[in-house]
Amino acid sequence: MKSKLLVATLFGVGLSFGCVSEQHDVTLTANLKETGPLLHKDIYGQFAEHLGRGIYEGIYVGPDSDIPNTKGFRNDVLNALRAIKVPLVRWPGGCFADEYHWRDGIGDPDKRPVKVNTHWGGVEETNAVGTHEIFDFIELLGADAYINGNLGSGSVREMAEWVEYMTSDKNSTLANERRKNGREEPWDIAYFGIGNESWGCGGHMSPEYYVDLYNQYATFIKTPPGKKPKLVGSGGHTEDTEWTDVLSANIERNMSGISYHFYTLPNSDWQNKGHATEFNNDDWFATMERTYRMDDYLKANIAKLDKNDPEGKIGLYVDEWGTWYDPEPGREPGFLYQQNTLRDAVVTAVNFNLFNKYAERVHMTNIAQMVNVLQAMVLTDGADMLVTPTYHVFGMYKVFQDATAIPFTIDSDVYQHGEKQLPAVTASLAKGTDGHVYLALVNLDPENEASIALNFSNANFSKLTGELLTHDAMTAKNTFEHKEVVKPVSFSASLSDLTLPAKSVLVGRLQ
Ligand code: AHR
């Protein structure tokens, strides 16, 4: 007895249900001569906020630290992040962005004002990492910059002058101040956000009021020819589509995309989100179910964009996503530090497959957050560090950066839990920039493996070779004592005998 879920990815969705098995049967059908949208590298972006130990200790220890560093940025973390090819870093927030005043973070570090980080733990913010330092970090990583401006408590003039300071190539007083502070060449800004969560911590505005402010602020963001960042409107979250609707219908000034935030809270309850590492089958299903809502939420927001922007000029930027659990006992709750298990790895792959599915509109996303905060890639403890299961999924999916999607349909048994069900397996298929065809598969079911049949036309492949991430225990994690409990292993299988283990992520090259 089997339950079937037929999901047509990239170009529509159809459903058909029947009944359940111990091994899921999954068939993926594609014509490999067809091409879909670009999977923009920025879909794999990351977010680094002044929050907890995300910046200080996590990436920055200062040039005088005993921890080996380059320009104050710890070498171990830099090397780990370089290995997964981080394409884009969003900074300085988040909620922090709408309280950030850029002048606090330039000039002699010893003379910079000390502020209180009122959003995150009420700790002292020394401003040791400011504009020059973060661009050092981004350049050391080989990534692009997504700078988030302060709309909530700043001014049009402050934002305009910050952009001039960063990008002007003239002899203006501001550009010369940048030179005096050590940076001759202007920086490139890939994206610039006009506020963050303006419906909440960014000012508790209505979307209509925000539209007017956006138009005003965006008018004064001026850069040298060819240097204009993609401007990002601050949009909605979770099931809301009003912000996407109102912004895309009314913003007249240049806006490349609208941000959208959605977090995976296992219990869908901010007072009782769920434990990061202690959970059972029910919690696992609840986490996957909540994650998979991203499918409907993206679809609903994209429908608003299709209505208001039929030419497809405006992107939907999921610039905050990831798991958010209850604070770890014994730690400052405002620091949002959490451990990370195999479950987080599966959540990551489920999200990536959804972002790739909607890549026509989803051109950029940022996981929250890079180091030591929420669903992090890296955790540090003083001079020590480890990489998380989530980190490994970013590494495995780097072959999809700037790849060209190949449309496919997936006919998958369901992952049944009580009365509820989800697709057992989701996928991504694309031609990489190296010309090879890559397939990613994730099995959401923690108990049943899946047998995968590939029904490809215009293809002559016999093998799938790559990496597999899984573990016997759903709660498996990497700790400072045991850092390699969850890590990918080499994988190679004939296409006539392709089995995907329960609770696993597989990314491979077709050969
Ligand atoms: O990522 C943590 C916080 O979540 C961000 O600062 C804010 O934008 C969101 O509410």
Side-chain angles (χ1 to χ4, degrees):
M1 296 282 275
K2 291 177 179 172
S3 272
K4 282 281 185 195
L5 179 70
L6 176 67
V7 182
T9 59
L10 292 174
F11 302 115
V13 175
L15 299 176
S16 71
F17 294 103
C19 347
V20 191
S21 82
E22 296 197 342
Q23 188 188 52
H24 299 298
D25 286 331
V26 176
T27 305
L28 215 124
T29 303
N31 175 350
L32 293 220
K33 282 231 167 103
E34 286 184 4
T35 54
L38 177 80
L39 305 182
H40 200 292
K41 66 176 176 51
D42 296 340
I43 288 175
Y44 300 91
Q46 301 190 6
F47 175 32
E49 180 167 13
H50 286 243
L51 196 178
R53 302 204 191 289
I55 300 281
Y56 304 112
E57 181 183 312
I59 59 174
Y60 189 79
V61 287
D64 300 329
S65 170
D66 291 340
I67 299 174
N69 68 82
T70 307
K71 297 185 173 177
F73 291 97
R74 48 193 299 168
N75 293 342
D76 51 356
V77 175
L78 276 173
N79 287 335
L81 294 172
R82 282 191 193 113
I84 57 169
K85 235 176 112 188
V86 177
L88 183 74
V89 180
R90 177 176 183 234
W91 175 89
C95 295
F96 184 81
D98 280 301
E99 289 194 350
Y100 184 63
H101 299 284
W102 68 275
R103 283 205 158 275
D104 294 345
I106 58 168
D108 182 349
D110 293 334
K111 298 197 178 127
R112 294 182 191 177
V114 175
K115 293 286 182 77
V116 177
N117 190 335
T118 56
H119 271 294
W120 305 119
V123 292
E124 287 168 7
E125 165 59 58
T126 63
N127 283 298
V129 171
T131 304
H132 290 253
E133 291 78 16
I134 205 67
F135 274 102
D136 281 345
F137 175 66
I138 290 169
E139 286 181 350
L140 287 165
L141 274 186
D144 288 333
Y146 173 6
I147 304 296
N148 210 120
N150 177 348
L151 178 88
S153 69
S155 67
V156 178
R157 179 175 178 176
E158 183 184 7
M159 191 184 284
E161 289 187 348
W162 193 16
V163 173
E164 182 186 337
Y165 181 89
M166 291 186 279
T167 64
S168 176
D169 54 2
K170 298 281 193 262
N171 273 315
S172 72
T173 302
L174 278 167
N176 284 334
E177 187 178 3
R178 181 193 70 230
R179 294 185 182 100
K180 189 173 74 67
N181 286 334
R183 174 73 183 197
E184 179 60 37
E185 293 300 315
W187 290 291
D188 284 331
I189 308 171
Y191 300 84
F192 190 85
I194 314 274
N196 167 75
E197 295 195 350
S198 302
W199 46 265
C201 66
H204 294 101
M205 302 170 193
S206 69
E208 290 78 11
Y209 180 66
Y210 176 82
V211 164
D212 285 341
L213 285 185
Y214 181 97
N215 284 331
Q216 183 188 3
Y217 276 68
T219 303
F220 298 98
I221 293 189
K222 297 185 178 167
T223 50
K227 292 289 184 188
K228 187 130 190 165
K230 291 180 176 151
L231 297 186
V232 185
S234 171
H237 71 106
T238 320
E239 57 268 275
D240 173 74
T241 54
E242 192 192 356
W243 277 75
T244 303
D245 195 15
V246 174
L247 268 57
S248 58
N250 295 297
I251 285 186
E252 287 151 21
R253 297 277 153 195
N254 174 0
M255 177 176 67
S256 296
I258 300 174
S259 78
Y260 169 75
H261 295 174
F262 176 54
Y263 284 97
T264 292
L265 278 61
N267 297 333
S268 301
D269 171 3
W270 284 97
Q271 302 317 313
N272 171 29
K273 297 183 268 298
H275 201 284
T277 57
E278 290 166 23
F279 53 86
N280 58 24
N281 273 346
D282 293 341
D283 305 317
W284 175 285
F285 183 86
T287 308
M288 295 306 144
E289 196 265 332
R290 170 96 183 182
T291 301
Y292 204 73
R293 290 184 200 177
M294 183 73 92
D295 190 37
D296 284 340
Y297 296 160
L298 292 180
K299 220 180 304 166
N301 279 282
I302 288 169
K304 300 294 182 194
L305 293 178
D306 289 346
K307 169 173 70 86
N308 298 328
D309 170 41
E311 290 172 7
K313 289 199 221 139
I314 302 173
L316 185 65
Y317 300 155
V318 189
D319 62 9
E320 288 184 29
W321 65 270
T323 53
W324 193 326
Y325 305 117
D326 289 333
E328 195 163 273
R331 295 200 185 242
E332 163 59 55
F335 282 8
L336 308 186
Y337 177 93
Q338 64 191 37
Q339 248 292 7
N340 193 296
T341 68
L342 178 64
R343 177 176 62 165
D344 296 82
V346 172
V347 165
T348 309
V350 170
N351 276 312
F352 282 163
N353 291 345
L354 290 171
F355 300 151
N356 290 343
K357 172 177 170 179
Y358 294 109
E360 211 112 38
R361 286 284 186 181
V362 177
H363 311 149
M364 182 262 270
T365 91
N366 304 113
I367 191 170
Q369 299 192 7
M370 189 177 240
V371 181
N372 287 337
V373 176
L374 297 177
Q375 193 181 346
M377 296 346 89
V378 172
L379 300 176
T380 65
D381 181 12
D384 207 356
M385 69 153 270
L386 61 81
V387 299
T388 64
T390 297
Y391 169 92
H392 289 303
V393 179
F394 270 78
M396 292 162 74
Y397 271 73
K398 67 185 179 202
V399 293
F400 290 106
Q401 292 190 21
D402 281 340
T404 303
I406 299 173
F408 62 93
T409 57
I410 182 164
D411 180 2
S412 168
D413 286 346
V414 293
Y415 159 26
Q416 186 83 35
H417 190 79
E419 297 291 295
K420 294 187 172 171
Q421 50 193 209
L422 287 170
V425 171
T426 73
S428 291
L429 181 68
K431 188 179 233 182
T433 50
D434 59 5
H436 292 293
V437 176
Y438 291 95
L439 173 65
L441 294 163
V442 52
N443 187 348
L444 286 68
D445 189 330
E447 293 185 316
N448 299 309
E449 62 182 23
S451 163
I452 313 287
L454 300 181
N455 180 15
F456 287 167
S457 49
N458 289 307
N460 189 20
F461 298 119
S462 58
K463 246 170 62 178
L464 184 68
T465 305
E467 288 187 315
L468 175 72
L469 188 78
T470 189
H471 197 280
D472 288 344
M474 59 164 72
T475 55
K477 59 181 185 287
N478 297 334
T479 63
F480 287 97
E481 295 72 40
H482 304 284
K483 293 183 179 166
E484 300 200 348
V485 174
V486 186
K487 65 170 186 181
V489 294
S490 299
F491 174 92
S492 184
S494 154
L495 297 190
S496 57
D497 184 23
L498 187 54
T499 303
L500 186 64
K503 50 177 162 24
S504 70
V505 180
L506 171 63
V507 178
R509 191 174 100 189
L510 288 155
Q511 290 178 302

